[in-house]
Structure formats: C-alpha cells, structure tokens
Amino acid sequence: MIDRTFIDELASKAPTPGGGGASAYCGALAAALSSMVCNLTLGKVAYSAVQDEVQDCCDQLGALIDHLIELVEEDANAFAPLAAAYGMPRETPKEQQAKEKALQTALIAACDVPLSIMQTCARVIELAEVLTEKGSRMALSDTGASLLFAKAALQGASLNVVINCASMTDRDRASMYQEEMRNLLNAYTMRADRAYETVVKELER
C-alpha cells in the first residue's frame, strides 16, 4: 500500500509542500530508481567487473535519497518565513521597512534550498549516467526513467530560484544565484538528455 500522505498534502490548498518539495521528492524517486538498478546489478556474474563501481554508486545514491527527503522538509521550512513576511502589514513606513527586511532575509533560504535540490539532482544524474553504461541491461528502462525524473526535479527546483531572485533587492546575490542555477541547468539537462538518448537507442536495438 502506498502512503498517500505527501501526495494528499501536495494536492491540498495548504501552501506547503509545493513545487520545491515536489521537486525534491521527484529527485528522491530518481535516486531510488537508480539505486534499484544498482541492486539488480550487484551480485550478477555478468557484471563482476563493475561490482565495486556499482556498489559505490549504490552507497552514494542511498545518501542522496536521504538528503532529498530532508530537502522536502527544508523547502517547507524555508517557505514559512517567506509566507509570513509577505503577510506582514505595511501601512506605515516602519511596517514597510520591517516587512522588507523580513522578506529579504527569507528570500535567501528560499533560494538556498532549491539550489541544494538542484545540486543533489545533478549528482543523481551523474550516477545514472554511470549506470547507463555499467548497470544491468534488464533494468535499462529504469535507468532512463531515473534520468527523466532527475532532470524534471532539477528544472522544477530552478523555478523557485527564478521567482525568489526576482524579489531580491540585493542584485549581486540574485545574480550569483541565477548564474549557479543556469550553470546547473545548462550542464545537467544536456547530460540527462544525452544519457537518455543512449538508453533509448539501446532499448530499440
């Protein structure tokens, strides 16, 4: 039986979890799929030459799953002060100043967490790339699905960076976040696409 708690909370009108948490969850699913491929490869005589490498991938993926699940919660925790800041009164100059200060402080964490999700999903893509070559051929379609999920998680998390950077008054900080986001997107969507194309070609042979 699948635990629907997260899905039901996501579908509700509650502000969290939202797109960032869903992206982290999607990334965890990507890592779990690649971990399954590792486990289907380990102990097989046909893959004896790559056992150590696949075991290392498996170990890393386990840690990435844990981290991405933590990031689901961290994303919700980062949104709470942001939502509170947006809800602060702004009738007087003093209130406006207090609101702006709270907002700018909250926006930092609201960018840090999705960037961490992106960085973690980038690592999932790297490991799935390894499994595209080294993993069990019987589970190659699962490797492909892992790549797609990790890419979607990467792109989904980037949207939180985009929207939060737009509200930052510290444009130098915003530019730094935007540059890192673009670098991750440019590098890893391309890598995921290339690896996925390799998977499809192998499956069609």
Side-chain angles (χ1 to χ4, degrees):
M1 179 67 70
I2 296 174
D3 185 350
R4 288 180 53 103
T5 302
F6 179 81
I7 300 298
D8 289 340
E9 289 177 354
L10 187 63
S12 76
K13 63 180 181 181
T16 58
S23 295
Y25 194 88
C26 184
L29 292 176
L33 272 169
S34 279
S35 185
M36 181 187 74
V37 175
C38 290
N39 285 314
L40 290 170
T41 307
L42 292 169
K44 300 294 175 62
V45 175
Y47 301 97
S48 58
V50 296
Q51 292 292 291
D52 289 345
E53 191 171 358
V54 173
Q55 182 63 63
D56 181 57
C57 286
C58 195
D59 294 342
Q60 291 187 58
L61 286 161
L64 293 173
I65 291 169
D66 290 341
H67 187 45
L68 284 160
I69 291 171
E70 290 170 358
L71 285 168
V72 173
E73 190 69 26
E74 286 183 26
D75 184 74
N77 292 339
F79 182 77
L82 186 62
Y86 278 120
M88 290 172 67
R90 49 174 303 164
E91 299 302 319
T92 67
K94 187 175 181 179
E95 287 177 344
Q96 291 170 11
Q97 185 178 19
K99 178 173 182 171
E100 186 62 22
K101 182 178 179 181
L103 178 61
Q104 294 305 317
T105 298
L107 284 168
I108 294 172
C111 283
D112 284 339
V113 175
L115 274 173
S116 184
I117 295 169
M118 292 182 72
Q119 291 159 357
T120 310
C121 290
R123 185 59 186 148
V124 175
I125 290 170
E126 290 175 351
L127 295 170
E129 282 179 311
V130 174
L131 296 171
T132 300
E133 180 183 353
K134 312 280 187 182
S136 171
R137 300 297 90 182
M138 296 296 292
L140 189 57
S141 61
D142 299 298
T143 304
S146 175
L147 287 160
L148 289 175
F149 283 22
K151 177 188 169 185
L154 180 84
Q155 292 174 311
S158 76
L159 297 175
N160 277 9
V161 180
V162 172
I163 192 170
N164 290 318
C165 281
S167 298
M168 279 188 171
T169 55
D170 184 346
R171 298 318 299 167
D172 288 339
R173 184 187 290 272
S175 294
M176 178 187 70
Y177 284 136
Q178 290 165 334
E179 182 178 8
E180 183 172 3
M181 176 202 69
R182 285 191 293 265
N183 288 341
L184 286 165
L185 278 177
N186 291 339
Y188 285 94
T189 56
M190 188 180 300
R191 288 177 68 163
D193 286 343
R194 279 201 304 260
Y196 177 76
E197 288 171 9
T198 298
V199 167
V200 172
K201 287 177 182 176
E202 280 291 310
L203 292 174
E204 290 177 339
R205 287 176 60 182

